[in-house]
Amino acid sequence: MAMALRLYLLLIVFVSSAIVSFSLYEDQVGLMDWHQRYIGKVKHAVFHTQKTGRKRVIVSTEENVVASLDLRHGEIFWRHVLGTKDAIDGVDIALGKYVITLSSEGSMLRAWNLPDGQMVWETSLHSAQHSKSLLSVPVNLKFDKDYSILVFGGGYLHAVSPIDGELLWKKDFTAEGFEVQRVLQPLESSIVYVLGFLHSSEAIVYQIDSKSGEVVAEKSKAFPGRFSGEISAVSNDKVVVLDSTRSILVTISFVDGEISFQKTLISSLVEDSGEAEILSPLLSNMLAVKVNKRTIFVRVGDQGKLEMVDSLSDETAMSDSLPVADDQVAFASVHHEGSKIHLTVKLVDDLDTVLLRESIQMDQHRGRVDRVFINNYIKTDRSNGFRALIVMEDHSLLLLQQGAIVWSREEGLASVTDVTTAELPVEKDGVSVAKVEHTLVDWLKGHILKLKGSLLLASPEDVVAIQEMRMKSSGRSKLTRDHNGFRKLFIALTRAGKLFALHTGDGRIVWSTLLNSPACARPSGISLYQWQVPHHHAMDENPSVLVVGRCGSDSSSPGVLSFVDVYTGKEISSSDIGHSVVQVMPLPLFTDSTEQRLHLIADTDGHVHLYPKTPEALGIFQREFQNVYWYNVEGDDGIIRGHGMKSSCAGETADEYCFTTRELWTVVFPSESEKIISTLTRKPNEVVHTQAKVSTDQDVLYKYVSRNLLFVATVSPKGAGEIGSVTPEESALVVYLIDTVTGRILHRLSHQGCQGPVHAVFSENWVVYHYFNLRAHKYEVTVVEIYDQSRAENKNVWKLVLGKHNLTAPISSYSRPEMFTKSQSYFFPQSVKTIAVTSTAKGITSKQLLIGTIGDQILALDKRFVDPRRTLNPSQAEKEEGIIPLTDSLPIIPQSYITHSLKVEGLRGIVTAPAKLESTTHVFAYGVDLFYTRLAPSKTYDSLTDDFSYALLLITIVALVAAIYITWALSEKKELSEKWR
Amino acid sequence: MYLGRTVKVFGSRESELLVDDDEFGLEGAKPQSTQQQTPTTRKRYSDPDSDSKVQFTLEHGFGDSHFSPAGTFSARLKSWSHGGKTLTKLRFSRNGFSDEEKDTFKNLLTGDDFYRIRVPSSVISPPGKEFVVASVRAASLSLPFLRCLPRDGLDEHFVIHMEGANILAASYGSLGACQYPRQFKLPAKWSFNSHTILKCSEQAPRTPIFTEEILGGENADGEVEPPPERSFWAKYWMYLIPLGLVVMNAVTQATNMAEEQTGGQAGGSQVQQSARRR
């Protein structure tokens, strides 16, 4: 009995002190979260359609994903995301059942089972140097052990058995100056030919026995001149190379004994020739060359003679050639014409024979066709049909068949680079709620169903109906603003320069737009800012976002600004700004009368430019001209510079929106001992609810809340590499908190024997950062909290009553800061990819750290766990305050993974945005996959849950009222009978 | 680890006042483990072999003007056996303002422009390739009206962050708080009160590892010191009170029932009772 009692007590204690867990019930999955799976921009595609089973295509992508897609619907059968450094070089199918991938510059060969994607074997190949990597899988469907996979990579040629991945032999080609260009094994031959160039001027062909790896013969021939690296293998015994002047095509024939060169001047093929470029498609006995923005097809004759057979306009994408029936070879080309694309499949030998010509209406916002992969099938009338997989400029993947788009995948979303949020339109009078909601009867029915569910009376069919009802709950995916702020748009900018608006309700794409610029064809997007967020004119003005892009990859290339309407996705205007973009600074609190946010853009010359370029904005800016400061981080030199505004750059240009700046402070990290690896500031739009923190002993701590704090982490240059590459003595991690107005170092802490990478999050008055401790062989998380000392005296109530406090005094960065920090370190058992923090509308709700773990999941960790005031034995008062006893490591509670069973593959970033409801925050995670959920770090204390049964409440009230009436009537009756007695 | 030394130099006179207080009490003087505290400085200075004297100049600029020398820092560079170097015993002597500089400074004050200073980023080979720059609004430097500053004059305060023999950053400003909006006031006396602080990086405390300790402690404590036995009442009050209530309820009901019975069947029972008595 006593034992039971004790257990019971223990349980009570446990329940009362248990950390509020945020796990979901199984039937809650998908109610407010969604998950989208992507693969990224496709690089290679191999079709697998021979068998009668499922038709599929194996693709490898630029996000290092190898996936098997259903050819009918475009769904993913299986997918594997390789590491970020494990780029896929080649993919093929061996033995008809294995998918072979070569990755990591030819040093990793893997076989995956074709139907289910299980890994069959993995072979790590020795690699000595950087080189091209070539994968050659024999094309035979028979299970023949004699054939091996030939892999060239890292200076070695390897022969690997396709059955178990065993390394059969390897041959060293690491000789100085020797570059292998082509590895070839003709069908039914036991000789492998390896063609390479020595010092780009001598062609060498090795003949290697495919069984033993012995060199059978070696031939070489010097070339008078130099080769460029571009090569096209046109047939089994010939390759065509471009020479270093890019004006001569050289045909090299090498199989039967001797090597022979045959030079052809490009100017003899086309009249107005310039620099030529060999295009990548592999066509048999033909090659495609790009000259003067035109694509010419050159046929290679038997004796290596070249002749031009056709020429096409530049904007044509071509596929590799594909054998069709009767020893014929066909290839596909796609070109644009207006809003249509034309797909043409021709025979390589006879370009006039068009096997297929189709025109398909194409969305303008997909841009041009980038890549084409074709596959043929036999129609019922025995003729050849073709399906084409095309990759568009916005990275989307489409399957074309019989003149229509069978399916499309928005693969651009796999490479999101920046995310911002936007509100939906306000519900206007025209759209009535009743029309969208159901009738009252339906509503009541629904609630009665729910009631049944909550009273455990529901039959299995009812449960299904309830679940379905919850999933598409009426207002979830409406395109209007809701009262709680749960419906929002996430605007995502992708690497391809496309902007997507995703609805938080169901994750669908509301609109998408590809950026355009008058200056260059496709600017690359850099970042995204909220440009105009109307509050006063919310009914009649649309918010807009600013997309900053640049023409070209270099940081000094001219920038492009584009303003996009959030409601419609239309580009309002796009301007070529004529200067480079190094840094974009939204000015806090500065908006003009149309509520456009003022932005400063710094260029490479040290000038800053004000946007929008209106006299009004200029007026606002000049009022605060003296108080605008900015800083830049020169990571390579280890210098952080602070700047102040100086004057208008009237002397140099006539542009009155351009300003010169001057250097006000510098922080110089000694290059021999410190290297900047991470910098971080607070989110500019973060809301801090209270400055004071009341501790248990009725003491007040004032948070040092400054928007001008910069967190910097540096490591010893030696320790900048991989974890474990240095000894603890050689590496130190130093963290700084720097005031960005004056350049003061407010806090500096060095961690000896620690190493990056540092992942940090900065919010309110605290920074939490994650790094590796080499001494303890563990990851650590350190929290630093900054408190203001200068306000610490304002504790006396009388002072506050009499107004003798300095709480309302303006704060100047030039005052000597009186602050102190508290910090504590904890071990954290996992490697981290990114950290974020929840943000709510008013900042009242307690915060959670959202840790993107190495397993691509997101862990929600209460900020209370990383409180520097945790002690080993907290006093009763401290326990009441919610201080958790100190432990040396942070707990990972499996239920607090907000991604539950899902994985956000290739996780890169987590974005949080407040909902209108104080308790709730939106969380959006992006990587190869996208994941969204709504989170309530302190539970939804300010609203009823979704499953709250209004019907039950109503019925209870009705029942109560009825009971009151009945009892009243009864008592009346009784009283009457009493009186009659 | 702090190496804080305060040197006060009045005007251009080399009259130094050495104050050996550790620091000004800012930047969370964390309770450091004592072994990380530097040994008393006197001892180190007595070792002349590894010490070398270094000097580097402070340069200043008014607004956007060029930098010109304004004073000299001198310090001892202590070389450690493990190859590290530390700077100790920093002194500063300030050159007084010339009349021309005074005028420029006045202009600076009227325009509330920046007064900028710089020191070389490496003290061993000055002038190094990079300078550590700091600046301050001139008006915030001349603050005779502030309550924290009894003297009237120019008050300056340097915090120099060092890493080995390199200067990372210099903070420059007045000693007290700087009010905003900045008030324009000319200094009464053209002399600088200079205060310098040298700061090295603080060592992070080691992450405590006490899994074993706790486990050990628990095992030991579990036998040696059992939690104090609470009284029966303290342990089971939450059961006893409802129980008591139930009992009381039952008792009152029982009494009520009895009363009812006595009231309802008064005659009969009396009869019975009387019958029994008889």
Side-chain angles (χ1 to χ4, degrees):
Chain A
M1 182 63 192
M3 190 63 203
L5 268 175
R6 206 170 288 169
L7 271 178
Y8 185 62
L9 276 175
L10 209 73
L11 196 74
I12 286 177
V13 169
F14 179 71
V15 166
S16 60
S17 68
I19 293 87
V20 196
S21 75
F22 304 92
S23 47
L24 296 173
Y25 290 103
E26 196 184 343
D27 62 340
Q28 285 174 323
V29 168
L31 275 188
M32 48 190 189
D33 59 322
W34 45 262
H35 179 237
Q36 293 174 356
R37 308 205 303 158
Y38 292 101
I39 53 174
K41 187 186 182 185
V42 170
K43 287 200 285 198
H44 312 108
V46 183
F47 290 87
H48 181 81
T49 50
Q50 286 93 343
K51 285 192 181 163
T52 48
R54 283 169 158 178
K55 306 228 180 302
R56 63 188 88 215
V57 58
I58 309 298
V59 292
S60 74
T61 71
E62 290 183 354
E63 304 293 326
N64 304 344
V65 177
V66 54
S68 164
L69 301 179
D70 184 355
L71 263 185
R72 291 190 200 285
H73 310 290
E75 283 152 14
I76 299 171
F77 280 139
W78 54 261
R79 156 186 86 146
H80 291 287
V81 183
L82 308 184
T84 44
K85 288 172 189 163
D86 205 6
I88 300 172
D89 304 310
V91 61
D92 212 335
I93 294 175
L95 302 174
K97 60 175 183 175
Y98 294 157
V99 176
I100 306 290
T101 60
L102 179 68
S103 58
S104 293
E105 291 189 323
S107 63
M108 196 57 96
L109 192 68
R110 295 188 182 96
W112 316 86
N113 193 14
L114 184 61
D116 58 3
Q118 298 284 328
M119 190 193 279
V120 184
W121 49 260
E122 178 182 63
T123 304
S124 169
L125 305 172
H126 181 249
S127 127
Q129 61 190 35
H130 291 285
S131 70
K132 257 189 195 180
S133 52
L134 307 163
L135 172 70
S136 157
V137 177
V139 197
N140 67 327
L141 294 169
K142 297 190 299 266
F143 282 62
D144 191 345
K145 212 183 163 156
D146 289 348
Y147 285 93
S148 54
I149 300 170
L150 295 172
V151 177
F152 178 78
Y156 286 91
L157 179 70
H158 304 264
V160 180
S161 158
I163 291 163
D164 52 5
E166 190 195 341
L167 185 64
L168 300 174
W169 49 264
K170 81 177 171 190
K171 176 83 187 71
D172 187 353
F173 285 107
T174 52
E176 169 82 55
F178 184 72
E179 283 173 61
V180 171
Q181 299 290 345
R182 179 110 170 91
V183 175
L184 180 113
Q185 183 175 21
L187 272 177
E188 312 297 326
S189 158
S190 63
I191 297 292
V192 177
Y193 294 89
V194 176
L195 168 73
F197 299 152
L198 188 65
H199 299 294
S200 300
S201 62
E202 191 179 348
I204 304 180
V205 173
Y206 292 95
Q207 294 185 22
I208 295 170
D209 184 66
S210 68
K211 299 269 191 304
S212 61
E214 306 273 312
V215 176
V216 180
E218 181 185 340
K219 299 273 160 50
S220 70
K221 191 172 182 185
F223 175 71
R226 293 176 70 80
F227 299 115
S228 73
E230 287 174 27
I231 188 163
S232 179
V234 287
S235 70
N236 273 345
D237 57 353
K238 284 189 216 69
V239 294
V240 178
V241 190
L242 202 63
D243 85 332
S244 56
T245 62
R246 292 183 172 272
S247 58
I248 302 170
L249 289 170
V250 184
T251 315
I252 306 174
S253 321
F254 60 91
V255 164
D256 292 323
E258 294 305 307
I259 300 178
S260 64
F261 299 125
Q262 188 156 10
K263 289 195 251 180
T264 312
L265 278 171
I266 289 173
S267 53
S268 71
L269 297 170
V270 273
E271 300 90 49
D272 49 342
S273 67
E275 290 222 324
E277 189 187 332
I278 293 182
L279 297 176
S280 56
L282 291 172
L283 309 170
S284 67
N285 288 325
M286 194 156 78
L287 78 155
V289 183
K290 190 174 168 186
V291 188
N292 272 348
K293 295 186 172 180
R294 288 190 71 76
T295 306
I296 59 166
F297 292 99
V298 180
R299 172 154 306 138
V300 185
D302 284 342
Q303 272 72 48
K305 201 174 165 331
L306 302 183
E307 57 169 334
M308 191 184 88
V309 283
D310 199 2
S311 87
L312 289 171
S313 70
D314 180 40
E315 277 136 8
T316 306
M318 281 169 298
S319 70
D320 289 353
S321 59
L322 173 85
V324 290
D326 318 326
D327 296 333
Q328 284 176 318
V329 183
F331 76 102
S333 65
V334 180
H335 69 275
H336 280 261
E337 200 178 284
S339 63
K340 284 191 165 181
I341 60 165
H342 300 284
L343 171 71
T344 324
V345 179
K346 293 177 185 171
L347 284 182
V348 172
D349 298 331
D350 180 10
L351 290 178
D352 296 330
T353 314
V354 175
L355 298 176
L356 180 80
R357 193 189 293 267
E358 282 171 356
S359 294
I360 295 141
Q361 193 74 30
M362 185 60 77
D363 181 7
Q364 286 290 308
H365 289 299
R366 293 193 188 279
R368 308 244 160 234
V369 177
D370 201 57
R371 287 197 183 107
V372 188
F373 304 96
I374 54 162
N375 173 241
N376 65 328
Y377 59 96
I378 309 293
K379 289 189 196 167
T380 41
D381 61 348
R382 296 269 151 207
S383 65
N384 263 311
F386 292 93
R387 50 172 88 87
L389 193 68
I390 60 173
V391 181
M392 305 296 288
E393 213 171 0
D394 68 341
H395 297 184
S396 59
L397 184 69
L398 297 99
L399 185 80
L400 309 182
Q401 197 172 348
Q402 294 175 337
I405 298 170
V406 182
W407 50 260
S408 66
R409 297 181 59 89
E410 290 289 353
E411 292 305 335
L413 283 170
S415 57
V416 172
T417 55
D418 201 2
V419 180
T420 186
T421 54
E423 292 288 347
L424 281 159
V426 182
E427 205 150 353
K428 288 192 182 147
D429 298 337
V431 191
S432 156
V433 190
K435 274 178 195 160
V436 187
E437 304 267 3
H438 321 281
T439 58
L440 189 72
V441 182
D442 281 342
W443 181 85
L444 211 67
K445 262 186 195 164
H447 276 290
I448 287 175
L449 259 181
K450 266 192 193 174
L451 178 69
K452 270 171 118 181
S454 56
L455 295 178
L456 303 172
L457 293 171
S459 59
E461 297 91 70
D462 288 348
V463 172
V464 172
I466 293 168
Q467 188 68 6
E468 202 175 324
M469 200 170 59
R470 286 161 111 189
M471 285 298 204
K472 52 179 187 201
S473 77
S474 53
R476 198 178 156 203
S477 54
K478 258 197 290 181
L479 271 177
T480 49
R481 223 175 272 190
D482 66 331
H483 186 67
N484 290 333
F486 288 168
R487 292 197 294 264
K488 262 193 176 191
L489 289 179
F490 273 105
I491 314 288
L493 178 68
T494 66
R495 197 178 300 146
K498 196 172 184 180
L499 214 55
F500 287 92
L502 302 170
H503 195 285
T504 55
D506 50 5
R508 71 174 187 279
I509 296 164
V510 178
W511 51 259
S512 63
T513 179
L514 194 62
L515 296 182
N516 281 304
S517 159
C520 58
R522 284 285 173 255
S524 57
I526 308 170
S527 47
L528 201 56
Y529 300 90
Q530 289 188 340
W531 178 252
Q532 192 179 11
V533 186
H535 294 289
H536 305 309
H537 314 282
M539 291 304 269
D540 41 55
E541 259 184 68
N542 293 2
S544 53
V545 289
L546 163 68
V547 188
V548 181
R550 77 166 62 103
C551 287
S553 54
D554 190 26
S555 71
S556 60
S557 40
V560 177
L561 298 188
S562 177
F563 304 95
V564 179
D565 186 317
V566 168
Y567 292 171
T568 60
K570 295 271 183 309
E571 198 164 22
I572 303 164
S573 68
S574 167
S575 61
D576 176 24
I577 52 177
H579 59 82
S580 57
V581 176
V582 177
Q583 212 173 342
V584 185
M585 295 162 273
L587 293 175
L589 313 173
F590 292 178
T591 51
D592 67 3
S593 59
T594 55
E595 294 179 83
Q596 289 184 342
R597 177 77 49 85
L598 268 62
H599 284 68
L600 285 181
I601 298 180
D603 64 9
T604 40
D605 305 329
H607 296 318
V608 291
H609 303 263
L610 177 72
Y611 291 89
K613 289 194 171 187
T614 56
E616 192 199 353
L618 193 66
I620 297 168
F621 182 66
Q622 254 152 4
R623 246 178 282 144
E624 295 294 333
F625 189 70
Q626 289 287 311
N627 291 326
V628 176
Y629 301 87
W630 62 284
Y631 69 93
N632 65 331
V633 180
E634 293 167 21
D636 298 332
D637 306 329
I639 300 176
I640 301 177
R641 293 180 200 278
H643 308 267
M645 294 293 139
K646 192 169 160 191
S647 60
S648 175
C649 32
E652 297 158 52
T653 50
D655 186 4
E656 56 182 324
Y657 301 99
C658 159
F659 300 94
T660 55
T661 60
R662 59 172 150 212
E663 194 176 301
L664 292 183
W665 54 266
T666 51
V667 174
V668 182
F669 297 104
S671 54
E672 67 271 15
S673 63
E674 292 184 35
K675 184 178 189 298
I676 300 174
I677 52 165
S678 172
T679 59
L680 182 76
T681 54
R682 271 177 62 192
K683 252 200 227 171
N685 55 358
E686 192 188 46
V687 185
V688 180
H689 176 243
T690 173
Q691 242 199 16
K693 189 168 180 178
V694 182
S695 60
T696 42
D697 45 354
Q698 307 301 312
D699 204 0
V700 184
L701 292 173
Y702 287 90
K703 297 174 188 169
Y704 187 82
V705 183
S706 166
R707 286 182 191 280
N708 305 321
L709 282 186
L710 174 71
F711 168 82
V712 181
T714 65
V715 286
S716 326
K718 272 185 182 172
E722 294 269 306
I723 286 170
S725 58
V726 283
T727 60
E729 288 72 34
E730 287 173 328
S731 185
L733 176 83
V734 192
V735 295
Y736 296 87
L737 282 171
I738 297 174
D739 185 296
T740 56
V741 173
T742 59
R744 275 198 175 98
I745 295 179
L746 299 179
H747 175 71
R748 181 175 167 204
L749 194 67
S750 82
H751 296 268
Q752 288 299 326
C754 293
Q755 205 182 7
V758 170
H759 298 280
V761 62
F762 195 162
S763 170
E764 294 196 353
N765 66 328
W766 51 263
V767 189
V768 170
Y769 52 96
H770 176 271
Y771 54 91
F772 191 76
N773 187 334
L774 289 163
R775 286 217 173 91
H777 309 289
K778 279 178 187 171
Y779 282 101
E780 269 183 10
V781 167
T782 296
V783 57
V784 177
E785 291 192 356
I786 321 144
Y787 291 100
D788 196 344
Q789 188 86 70
S790 63
R791 303 185 169 217
E793 296 129 34
N794 303 315
K795 284 171 194 162
N796 196 328
V797 180
W798 286 109
K799 267 191 181 172
L800 292 177
V801 172
L802 297 171
K804 281 187 179 174
H805 58 86
N806 59 355
L807 288 180
T808 50
I811 302 167
S812 168
S813 283
Y814 286 109
S815 315
R816 202 163 67 93
E818 294 175 43
M819 35 79 69
F820 65 97
T821 55
K822 281 169 177 273
S823 80
Q824 207 161 57
S825 302
Y826 305 94
F827 292 121
F828 189 71
Q830 283 206 32
S831 177
V832 160
K833 283 190 166 177
T834 177
I835 309 185
V837 65
T838 57
S839 59
T840 53
K842 303 265 188 315
I844 301 169
T845 310
S846 64
K847 304 221 169 210
Q848 275 185 334
L849 297 178
L850 302 174
I851 301 172
T853 63
I854 194 72
D856 292 323
Q857 292 211 311
I858 301 170
L859 181 78
L861 184 75
D862 250 24
K863 171 66 179 55
R864 289 196 292 146
F865 284 107
V866 283
D867 190 332
R869 295 193 299 138
R870 279 175 71 181
T871 51
L872 211 50
N873 292 309
S875 66
Q876 194 57 38
E878 281 177 329
K879 269 185 196 160
E880 274 165 20
E881 197 198 327
I883 287 185
I884 302 159
L886 182 65
T887 48
D888 57 353
S889 63
L890 296 174
I892 291 188
I893 305 155
Q895 286 93 335
S896 56
Y897 279 108
I898 60 168
T899 42
H900 40 90
S901 62
L902 303 168
K903 271 173 100 178
V904 189
E905 294 280 6
L907 181 66
R908 281 197 309 272
I910 302 170
V911 177
T912 60
K916 263 188 216 147
L917 201 65
E918 167 56 31
S919 64
T920 316
T921 174
H922 297 278
V923 179
F924 180 66
Y926 58 90
V928 175
D929 290 354
L930 301 181
F931 176 78
Y932 162 83
T933 190
R934 235 166 35 221
L935 213 62
S938 307
K939 294 216 162 177
T940 45
Y941 55 84
D942 50 1
S943 73
L944 295 169
T945 54
D946 282 349
D947 4 307
F948 181 79
S949 180
Y950 290 93
L952 185 61
L953 183 70
L954 213 68
I955 288 167
T956 317
I957 291 169
V958 167
L960 276 174
V961 169
I964 287 167
Y965 268 95
I966 290 164
T967 46
W968 177 70
L970 282 176
S971 76
E972 286 279 289
K973 215 173 163 185
K974 198 175 177 195
E975 218 168 290
L976 198 65
S977 59
E978 286 278 317
K979 281 179 182 166
W980 271 107
R981 206 156 56 161
Chain B
M1 184 160 55
Y2 276 104
L3 287 176
R5 299 187 64 79
T6 307
V7 182
K8 287 182 182 169
V9 184
F10 299 102
S12 56
R13 286 170 293 133
E14 282 272 34
S15 63
E16 296 178 2
L17 175 69
L18 274 156
V19 186
D20 231 337
D21 58 5
D22 239 273
E23 39 109 11
F24 278 81
L26 63 167
E27 247 94 14
K30 284 192 66 67
Q32 291 286 315
S33 54
T34 40
Q35 73 246 24
Q36 281 172 345
Q37 206 83 44
T38 44
T40 45
T41 40
R42 305 267 180 271
K43 215 173 181 179
R44 269 197 281 135
Y45 298 152
S46 62
D47 184 4
D49 297 332
S50 54
D51 275 14
S52 59
K53 206 164 182 181
V54 286
Q55 275 202 336
F56 54 97
T57 45
L58 170 87
E59 295 175 297
H60 64 178
F62 301 95
D64 300 317
S65 76
H66 290 290
F67 286 98
S68 56
T72 319
F73 283 101
S74 56
R76 279 186 182 279
L77 191 66
K78 167 100 182 164
S79 300
W80 296 87
S81 51
H82 57 74
K85 289 191 173 77
T86 41
L87 209 65
T88 53
K89 220 178 175 185
L90 186 73
R91 287 154 194 253
F92 177 56
S93 73
R94 181 72 133 125
N95 306 336
F97 271 164
S98 67
D99 287 343
E100 193 189 334
E101 283 174 330
K102 273 181 198 167
D103 284 343
T104 343
F105 195 78
K106 272 178 201 160
N107 288 338
L108 214 63
L109 284 179
T110 22
D112 194 13
D113 211 341
F114 287 98
Y115 177 67
R116 305 198 289 168
I117 57 139
R118 73 174 190 189
V119 285
S121 64
S122 168
V123 297
I124 306 172
S125 56
K129 48 190 187 308
E130 280 293 339
F131 286 92
V132 170
V133 183
S135 52
V136 70
R137 295 254 182 211
S140 67
L141 203 62
S142 144
L143 301 161
F145 50 84
L146 281 178
R147 64 188 193 300
C148 58
L149 208 72
R151 291 179 294 276
D152 49 356
L154 294 164
D155 220 37
E156 61 181 0
H157 185 244
F158 296 93
V159 181
I160 294 179
H161 292 264
M162 303 291 302
E163 172 65 46
N166 294 299
I167 298 179
L168 281 178
S171 305
Y172 183 66
S174 68
L175 198 59
C178 171
Q179 281 193 355
Y180 188 87
R182 293 177 278 271
Q183 293 183 20
F184 168 61
K185 201 149 189 177
L186 281 176
K189 219 159 78 183
W190 286 99
S191 64
F192 272 97
N193 294 331
S194 306
H195 308 262
T196 45
I197 288 185
L198 204 59
K199 273 192 176 177
C200 286
S201 87
E202 199 180 320
Q203 284 286 338
R206 281 227 178 153
T207 311
I209 307 173
F210 40 71
T211 13
E212 299 103 65
E213 286 167 36
I214 280 186
L215 286 176
E218 258 183 350
N219 288 343
D221 287 349
E223 284 157 19
V224 175
E225 199 191 333
E229 194 67 33
R230 284 177 299 172
S231 68
F232 181 77
W233 177 246
K235 264 155 87 183
Y236 302 120
W237 61 270
M238 65 277 273
Y239 304 103
L240 291 175
I241 289 176
L243 196 72
L245 285 173
V246 167
V247 169
M248 268 162 71
N249 210 15
V251 169
T252 32
Q253 274 204 348
T255 47
N256 278 354
M257 205 99 99
E259 266 173 34
E260 230 171 77
Q261 273 186 348
T262 46
Q265 302 176 330
S269 65
Q270 269 174 2
V271 172
Q272 274 185 352
Q273 275 170 5
S274 55
R276 272 186 206 155
R277 269 178 213 153
R278 280 176 212 156

